[in-house]
Amino acid sequence: MPTDTMPQSKPMKLVVTGGAGYVGSVCAARLLEAGHEVTVVDDLSTGHADAVPDGARFVEGDAAETARTLLADGFDGVLHFAAKSLVGESMQDPGKYWHGNVLTSLRLLDAMRAHGTPRLVFSSTAATYGEPETAPIPESAATRPTNTYGATKLAIDHAISTYARAHGIAAVSLRYFNVAGAYGRFGERHTTETHLIPIVLQVATGERDQVQIFGEDYPTEDGTAIRDYIHVTDLADAHLLALEHARAGEHQIYNLGNGTGFSVRQVIEACREVTGHPIPAAVAQRRAGDPAVLVAASDQARQRLGWKPERTDLAGIVADAWRFTQDHRAAAHPA
Ligand code: UFG
């Protein structure tokens, strides 16, 4: 795997919660390649044990409960990925999100405080903004989440700000836009898939007959919703930079996206080109809570972290996801 463009920093001893999940596993792999010592904590409720990268220590268990014991050993920081992250589910079962996301994060913050763990990098989300008033969205935009998932992540961001100030924790929240692509053997494989690119690729593999386009009456050029797709490796590298730039007592918040939006139809077209499959599509109702356009202004991350996304081409992002999908299917169903 390429390591040439990887951010360099002094080796740290780190806990990665949710390191058996999609973004967490890619980040854990990049951290190891950069020379850090990584302990993955994951309850495997949505992650996969075989996604924990080689070289990481793996402890199976609840993020907060396990960290409470682990952190006593003295760690330089925590990267907190473990979370419930399905928007639809968060509306049907809000308690699962308030307990699973907010309570767990508060307990983790308390454990960090108790053991003097100095750094935290937190996976926040564009869903904290809700329906945006401007595009692209800067960090100064109003935060009015339209779903429980975004509300829980925003509540955690508020808690982190106060803990950072009061207890000197060096904290960085990264607000992800639409994460896509894969890195080596690490990629997106959810039991319940709701994300556009993996669903479209499932049509190409024959697992689904067609993709549904959720709404064609948005105020956009082709009528379908626009999102900012960011390669998971670029996203992971922002975490490495965040660790380096975290400052005691400060809570920095950065949006992470490419700053370019693609419509649902453009994504499907890119998948057709990459896979060579016709990918039938049918227009369906809008999905509740979906904003028309979500595009990031990531100038802050570029200026203050020195972050520069390297893999911004949509076809390239889709090609990496497609290679991962094919490799994973071949491993799951050997010929
Ligand atoms: N879509 C379809 N058909 C599908 C699936 C999705 O048309 O089968 C559409 C959605 O309606 C949306 C777009 O494709 O317009 C992208 O949908 P995703 O489900 O892939 O991603 P979201 O934009 O809904 O949400 C993702 C993350 C959130 C994050 C958000 C920020 O899941 O956590 O990006 O941009 F907050």
Side-chain angles (χ1 to χ4, degrees), residues 85-87 125-128 147 149 176-179 194-200 208 211-215 218 224-229 264 268 286-287 290-292 294:
S85 62
L86 297 176
V87 170
T125 170
T128 52
N147 54 62
Y149 167 64
Y176 308 168
F177 281 63
N178 290 59
V179 190
T194 62
H195 290 133
L196 180 63
I197 292 176
I199 284 178
V200 178
R208 287 176 196 257
V211 56
Q212 292 191 313
I213 296 173
F214 296 147
Y218 284 103
T224 66
I226 290 178
R227 294 290 181 272
D228 183 337
Y229 295 88
V264 173
I268 297 171
R286 286 185 182 194
R287 194 171 60 178
D290 269 350
L294 277 180

Side-chain angles (χ1 to χ4, degrees), residues 64-76 78 107-118 169:
E65 198 48 44
T66 313
R68 201 165 59 86
T69 328
L70 268 181
L71 291 178
D73 290 348
F75 279 82
D76 297 307
V78 175
R107 288 165 58 222
L108 180 64
L109 281 165
D110 287 333
M112 290 181 64
R113 182 192 167 195
H115 297 298
T117 314
I169 297 173

Side-chain angles (χ1 to χ4, degrees), residues 147-216:
N147 54 62
T148 312
Y149 167 64
T152 63
K153 289 282 185 171
L154 181 61
I156 300 163
D157 274 343
H158 287 317
I160 293 173
S161 295
T162 57
Y163 272 67
R165 253 196 316 272
H167 307 303
I169 297 173
V172 182
S173 286
L174 300 175
R175 291 191 172 156
Y176 308 168
F177 281 63
N178 290 59
V179 190
Y183 179 56
R185 68 178 187 85
F186 309 103
E188 197 166 8
R189 48 181 165 127
H190 300 117
T191 316
T192 314
E193 193 50 77
T194 62
H195 290 133
L196 180 63
I197 292 176
I199 284 178
V200 178
L201 295 179
Q202 283 175 354
V203 181
T205 61
E207 273 171 81
R208 287 176 196 257
D209 295 335
Q210 61 173 22
V211 56
Q212 292 191 313
I213 296 173
F214 296 147
E216 207 186 22

Side-chain angles (χ1 to χ4, degrees), residues 23-105:
V23 181
S25 64
V26 174
C27 202
R30 298 288 280 182
L31 287 165
L32 286 161
E33 286 162 25
H36 298 292
E37 187 184 321
V38 173
T39 300
V40 166
V41 179
D42 199 301
D43 65 3
L44 301 183
S45 56
T46 51
H48 307 270
D50 64 2
V52 176
D54 298 335
R57 175 179 168 210
F58 175 45
V59 184
E60 185 177 340
D62 168 79
E65 198 48 44
T66 313
R68 201 165 59 86
T69 328
L70 268 181
L71 291 178
D73 290 348
F75 279 82
D76 297 307
V78 175
L79 293 102
H80 183 34
F81 296 93
K84 305 287 167 214
S85 62
L86 297 176
V87 170
E89 184 188 58
S90 79
M91 302 303 281
Q92 281 140 23
D93 189 359
K96 188 170 176 180
Y97 282 70
W98 289 106
H99 287 268
N101 291 352
V102 179
L103 259 194
T104 303
S105 300

